[in-house]
Amino acid sequence: MEKMEELKNLLTANVNKVTELLHKKEKEEIMEEKKKSKAGLIFAIIGIVVVVAAAAYGLYRFFAPDYLEDFEDDFDDDFEDDFFDEDDEEEK
């Protein structure tokens, strides 16, 4: 009977150790999930900031007038008028 009691005690001790190890693993997995969720949250925030910045830049480019384009048009018109006036004078 003593051997049966010893086996029962050993079995109970082993079951307790295995249970403790499983709980430790579960706690570690929960901590890893929290770390992953923190990293995911950080990347999500960075992504949102990038999207908002890109949208703001797009709106700025859409609504901001292009002054250089107006300047080039005026310059081309003046140049072409003078050039054709000179050709007309040379032909006469």
Side-chain angles (χ1 to χ4, degrees), residues 33-62:
E33 288 177 10
K34 285 183 180 179
K35 288 180 184 177
K36 288 180 184 176
S37 66
K38 286 182 183 178
L41 181 63
I42 290 170
F43 286 126
I45 290 172
I46 290 171
I48 290 170
V49 168
V50 168
V51 167
V52 168
Y57 180 73
L59 288 172
Y60 166 75
R61 294 292 294 170
F62 182 73

Side-chain angles (χ1 to χ4, degrees), residues 72-83:
E72 289 174 351
D73 289 342
D74 292 341
F75 181 73
D76 290 340
D77 291 341
D78 291 340
F79 180 72
E80 291 172 2
D81 291 341
D82 292 339
F83 185 72

Side-chain angles (χ1 to χ4, degrees), residues 11-26:
L11 184 60
T12 306
N14 285 336
V15 168
N16 288 339
K17 287 181 182 178
V18 169
T19 305
E20 287 177 17
L21 288 174
L22 287 175
H23 287 297
K24 284 183 182 179
K25 280 216 170 212
E26 288 175 359

Side-chain angles (χ1 to χ4, degrees), residues 1-16:
M1 270 300 189
E2 274 183 41
K3 289 197 177 213
M4 291 295 264
E5 288 291 325
E6 285 179 28
L7 286 174
K8 183 179 175 185
N9 289 339
L10 283 174
L11 184 60
T12 306
N14 285 336
V15 168
N16 288 339

